[in-house]
Amino acid sequence: MGIHTHPLFLESVLVAWAALTAGAKFFDSEASVAVHLTPAMSAQTPPRSKRGAHGFTLIELLVVVVIIGLLAGIVAPRYFGQVGKSNTTAARAQIEQLGKALDTYRLDVGTYPTTEQGLQALVAKPDGVDRWQGPYLAKQQVPGDPWGRAYRYKTPGDHGDYDLTSYGSDGQPGGTGEAADVNSWDSAAQVKTQ
């Protein structure tokens, strides 16, 4: 009788297989064989749990955090770049609206408001102006630029009948990107000079 057909060998293979599927340990702390699984013990042994049933490992959590960080690093600059572009676009639109209101004021009164009267002349009748038909702005208040500052108005302007400017996010003349000036004489907010 060969070793592979010996009843004790077959029984030991079956015990080892049952121990593996039941989650038993083959070696104790002294690294000696320690499988003593009887049929009664195999009935008491809880079934082997599926991977992930008890939670995530630290490595798995770190991988997820790294992936989220990489995605945030890619998406955030694009998102915040769009916010800056939308503020600049809003400033251009407001300057165009203020330009139309100034042109309507000029048609009614005959001149643009003076630099001293400023854009307030579009919502409140200035002293000494007889043909004022305003208010010329729908909300009856002069809007600030998207960064919360007042538009700069000058007449006569250096670039036309008047100059209307927002200094951008930094509030200083010049700049690039979101900090660039938005002017009434730019191509997107063209002021008609007559």
Side-chain angles (χ1 to χ4, degrees), residues 88 92 165-168 170 172-183 186:
T88 302
R92 290 188 194 286
T165 302
S166 167
Y167 284 150
D170 63 353
Q172 302 296 320
T176 59
E178 188 179 350
D181 298 348
V182 182
N183 303 303
D186 288 339

Side-chain angles (χ1 to χ4, degrees), residues 1-193:
M1 176 181 289
I3 190 165
H4 299 292
T5 58
H6 193 276
L8 289 176
F9 176 77
L10 290 176
E11 184 180 346
S12 64
V13 169
L14 289 174
V15 168
W17 178 255
L20 279 175
T21 58
K25 296 180 182 177
F26 280 94
F27 300 100
D28 62 9
S29 60
E30 285 85 29
S32 62
V33 176
V35 175
H36 304 288
L37 194 61
T38 65
M41 290 176 63
S42 65
Q44 295 173 356
T45 308
R48 195 171 187 192
S49 65
K50 294 183 179 179
R51 186 179 196 289
H54 295 301
F56 299 104
T57 65
L58 181 61
I59 297 294
E60 290 170 329
L61 291 175
L62 288 175
V63 167
V64 169
V65 168
V66 167
I67 289 171
I68 290 172
L70 289 173
L71 289 174
I74 293 169
V75 172
R78 291 182 184 181
Y79 171 75
F80 290 116
Q82 294 300 324
V83 170
K85 288 180 185 176
S86 66
N87 284 343
T88 302
T89 302
R92 290 188 194 286
Q94 285 179 336
I95 285 176
E96 286 183 31
Q97 291 295 72
L98 289 170
K100 290 176 184 177
L102 287 166
D103 289 340
T104 304
Y105 178 97
R106 183 176 158 266
L107 288 174
D108 289 346
V109 176
T111 62
Y112 287 106
T114 64
T115 302
E116 293 77 28
Q117 292 170 335
L119 297 175
Q120 285 300 324
L122 299 174
V123 294
K125 181 179 178 185
D127 293 335
V129 177
D130 296 329
R131 298 184 305 182
W132 190 83
Q133 301 289 320
Y136 296 94
L137 297 174
K139 293 187 178 180
Q140 299 183 3
Q141 67 182 29
V142 179
D145 68 10
W147 299 278
R149 290 183 285 280
Y151 286 100
R152 300 191 180 266
Y153 172 74
K154 177 183 174 188
T155 189
D158 297 328
H159 302 279
D161 292 333
Y162 61 86
D163 291 346
L164 195 53
T165 302
S166 167
Y167 284 150
S169 65
D170 63 353
Q172 302 296 320
T176 59
E178 188 179 350
D181 298 348
V182 182
N183 303 303
S184 58
W185 59 89
D186 288 339
S187 61
Q190 197 65 254
V191 176
K192 299 173 188 169
T193 54

